[in-house]
Amino acid sequence: MIEFNPERYQTRIEESRRRWDIAKRFREPDRVPIAISTAGSYYCRLFGYNIRDYYTSQEVCIEVQLKGLHWAFEELGDDRTEFGLSWDLGPIQEAVVFGCPIEYPDDTSPRIVPILETVEDIEKLEVPDIENHPRIRDLLRLGEVFVAKARRMAPGLPATGGRINMHPPLSCACAIMDPAKVYELLYADPEHADMLLRKCFDAFCRLTDFYLAVDGKERQTHLSLADDNSAFISGEMYKRYVFKYNKALYDRYGSEYRYLHADGPNDHHFPMYADEMKLTVMDMGGWSSCEAAKKHLGGKTFFTGGLNCKDLYYDFERAKPAVDHALRICAPGGGYGLAIGGETYPGVRPDTLIRVVEYAKQAGRYPIRLELPRRMI
């Protein structure tokens, strides 16, 4: 079993923390902070594990994450500051809450089998009693088992497990019903569309309140959401259906810190995210425009992104123009971290990632210059 000792990297971690802190205050640190979102599935492909085994075996999950931590700190060298172990269940949150079947295909992530087909199904859908939910209780128990195993396999490293974070209403709805049908409802049947979103909202609140009670807390002030489907509806539809629910979640659980990850091109939502939702931090996703993000989020919402996995499947020379573009547009003035929007997919070349980080550490030094150092080209 590979060992990982975070004390070896403590100086670097503290430097990275200071760098992120300065950038989040919309100031320019020594250079642009860098976050490469390598995680479970990526590490499985990198180290030769079956992705399905990672999601179905706690021991494999721990082993893969340990190897991933070692590679990230020894080889990749980005500005990550976290180094704990967590029981990675995959994107199955809504399946657990609403009782959907879960499929575990070979060598890929698990997937939820949608349970809603008709408006009658929406009407019959019940918001579960989270406090007495057997699957939620089982996960808490198995999470304790995971933590015990992690402590045996990697003494000294923090470990967590057994909890799920639901998606906000629209993305939750698109997990338990085919997304195309949900989008169609928004136009053809507003009543049932809102009924479905309301039930997803209520389930989110019940789950969050349950975990607060388990922890003996009355409230929370930091909320992170992943609204993966929001990019695929218009601004008008977002304001009509989605805004009230997501805003209510942030008001209720995120009074001090509001984070959002959103897949797809989000340019049409950026003004609303900054000025009305008042996000603190946003992962702009891999398909959004750097120009739009800088124009609408700059100075208001700290944002990360600028890179897309499609730019990183090949060699560094293919990736370099995207890095240059992101740094030139997004970095001046601070308030930005260079990152891959969303997760790093299996298949992205590790040697390209390493060179991107090395290059960005030089090209991303403030003040940002249009003519980048020749020795890095």
Side-chain angles (χ1 to χ4, degrees), residues 176-341:
I176 61 177
M177 189 175 200
D178 184 274
K181 293 182 178 180
V182 176
Y183 301 145
E184 183 179 350
L185 281 176
L186 297 177
Y187 288 90
D189 193 343
E191 179 182 353
H192 283 97
D194 189 66
M195 180 185 298
L196 175 56
L197 296 181
R198 164 58 69 175
K199 290 183 177 183
C200 292
F201 173 83
D202 289 343
F204 187 107
C205 293
R206 289 188 184 185
L207 181 67
T208 306
D209 292 343
F210 169 72
Y211 287 141
L212 285 173
V214 169
D215 293 336
K217 299 178 180 178
E218 295 184 358
R219 60 191 292 264
Q220 70 177 54
T221 58
H222 290 53
L223 180 63
S224 297
L225 297 179
D227 203 3
D228 298 317
N229 295 87
S230 59
F232 308 110
I233 64 172
S234 68
E236 177 187 355
M237 284 293 164
Y238 190 101
K239 289 302 291 288
R240 184 185 302 178
Y241 292 103
V242 179
F243 180 86
K244 62 183 178 182
Y245 292 120
N246 285 17
K247 181 66 159 54
L249 291 177
Y250 281 125
D251 288 347
R252 183 167 177 171
Y253 302 112
S255 60
E256 297 179 8
Y257 177 87
R258 303 179 177 196
Y259 171 92
L260 176 68
H261 159 74
D263 281 335
N266 294 279
D267 303 23
H268 56 307
H269 294 322
F270 283 152
M272 174 270 299
Y273 284 148
D275 299 329
E276 299 179 69
M277 201 71 77
K278 298 190 181 301
L279 296 180
T280 310
V281 177
M282 182 173 184
D283 167 8
M284 60 188 268
W287 299 95
S288 298
S289 158
C290 289
E291 289 81 358
K294 185 66 172 180
K295 177 181 179 181
H296 298 295
L297 302 179
K300 301 175 184 177
T301 298
F302 178 86
F303 66 99
T304 63
L307 301 180
N308 188 310
C309 287
K310 69 180 179 63
D311 302 314
L312 303 165
Y313 287 121
Y314 307 100
D315 60 20
F316 171 72
E317 296 306 320
R318 289 280 293 272
K320 180 181 177 295
V323 179
D324 289 347
H325 180 73
L327 291 175
R328 287 181 177 131
I329 301 300
C330 300
Y336 170 71
L338 180 70
I340 295 173

